[in-house]
Amino acid sequence: MLRRVLLLLLLPAVALFGCTNGGDSSSTTQPASGSAASSAAPDANAVLNDVVAALGAGNLTSITYSGTAWRIRNSFMQTPNASPPWPSRDEITNYRRTIDLTAPASLATGDTFAQNLFLEPAVAGRYTQNIPADRTAWSQQLEIWLTPWGFVQGAKSNGVTASRQTVDGTQYTVLSWQSPATQTAPSGLRYTVNGYIGADSLPARVETWVEDPFMGDFHIVQVYSGYRDFGGVKVPATIEQQRGGGGIFGVNVTAAMANPADLTALLAPPSPVGPGGPP
């Protein structure tokens, strides 16, 4: 009888001990097969090599492309509404941009027919964006580094790191690099450039930041889509630059050429129009 009583007293303790051990072991989650590899940072140089191959940019030193473009009238800070999208656009015809990646330098030109800030009758004019090699301010040079080919050139020259990030439900491999030590913000810090690489190994968007007296640390992003092959080099069919959260400039590319033979002529700025220069 005593033996039976002792057995009954010990059974709950054994059951409790068994449940406790079971709880401890089940609380330790084992990594799923392959989860360590998926969470590890991508190999930045391998990803960069894939991007170069996908762009066909292995031997690319310069590029020229053309089509039509548009710009927000005057400035996004002078638009009727504070929030994008902003409807007032000026069309730019005969648009052409040439980029020398080794200088680096860039020249874009086109024809406009636009109104001014006070909405006076539209007049014909010339669009020019000239960034010669000796103009090294980041606010101008970023126009080169934000392009797919400029981004790759900067990544090759300045070291690159890689991470993963999801934007609007799409996962990207993000390649990042910083401006040269000789090109820094007023704070002394180097500028950061991030390129969001899609599953096709092509840049879908490239972003950076620049100081602005009104906006502070100002985010600028360029978005690309519809890549097409032009003589072995991939060029996005549509390009849009966004500032202040909305598009301020865009290009519809219809033709492009890699390493044009007449690069010097293509980079020569047009003659001024009249005594006051280009409108």
Side-chain angles (χ1 to χ4, degrees):
M1 182 66 181
L2 179 59
R3 186 177 299 175
R4 183 179 299 177
V5 172
L6 289 175
L7 181 60
L8 291 174
L9 291 173
L10 286 173
L11 281 176
V14 171
L16 179 61
F17 179 77
C19 290
T20 304
N21 277 350
D24 289 344
S25 62
S26 63
S27 65
T28 303
T29 304
Q30 298 296 323
S33 176
S35 63
S38 63
S39 62
D43 184 324
N45 290 320
V47 175
L48 179 58
N49 289 337
D50 289 342
V51 174
V52 172
L55 284 172
N59 299 311
L60 187 71
T61 58
S62 61
I63 190 169
T64 184
Y65 58 90
S66 58
T68 59
W70 57 267
R71 63 180 175 182
I72 291 297
R73 184 164 298 157
N74 305 301
S75 165
F76 80 93
M77 287 187 286
Q78 297 170 330
T79 53
N81 301 311
S83 300
W86 300 293
S88 300
R89 295 184 176 185
D90 291 329
E91 299 299 321
I92 303 172
T93 58
N94 301 317
Y95 177 85
R96 184 184 69 197
R97 185 181 185 190
T98 303
I99 304 172
D100 181 353
L101 296 168
T102 60
S106 170
L107 176 68
T109 59
D111 299 320
T112 63
F113 190 72
Q115 293 176 309
N116 62 16
L117 176 62
F118 303 102
L119 302 182
E120 294 175 347
V123 296
R126 177 180 294 158
Y127 171 85
T128 303
Q129 183 197 65
N130 185 25
I131 308 172
D134 60 356
R135 194 169 297 175
T136 59
W138 185 255
S139 59
Q140 295 170 320
Q141 286 281 312
L142 64 82
E143 299 288 354
I144 299 173
W145 303 125
L146 287 178
T147 67
W149 322 281
F151 173 78
V152 165
Q153 184 72 18
K156 288 180 179 179
S157 305
N158 299 294
V160 64
T161 61
S163 61
R164 289 189 177 90
Q165 187 171 336
T166 300
V167 178
D168 296 331
T170 301
Q171 187 179 69
Y172 297 98
T173 300
V174 182
L175 294 179
S176 303
W177 55 270
Q178 292 186 316
S179 63
T182 56
Q183 195 172 42
T184 61
S187 63
L189 297 176
R190 298 162 67 180
Y191 298 97
T192 297
V193 186
N194 298 322
Y196 292 74
I197 313 303
D200 55 4
S201 295
L202 294 170
R205 52 193 287 135
V206 183
E207 67 182 1
T208 190
W209 289 260
V210 67
E211 65 278 359
D212 183 271
F214 181 76
M215 304 295 290
D217 198 15
F218 193 32
H219 182 226
I220 303 173
V221 59
Q222 207 144 276
V223 181
Y224 302 102
S225 62
Y227 278 87
R228 296 172 56 193
D229 189 290
F230 290 94
V233 174
K234 291 290 182 63
V235 179
T238 60
I239 302 170
E240 180 175 297
Q241 185 173 123
Q242 300 173 355
R243 301 190 180 202
I248 63 145
F249 184 84
V251 182
N252 296 312
V253 178
T254 56
M257 178 182 294
N259 301 330
D262 55 343
L263 179 62
T264 301
L266 289 170
L267 288 172
S271 301
V273 178

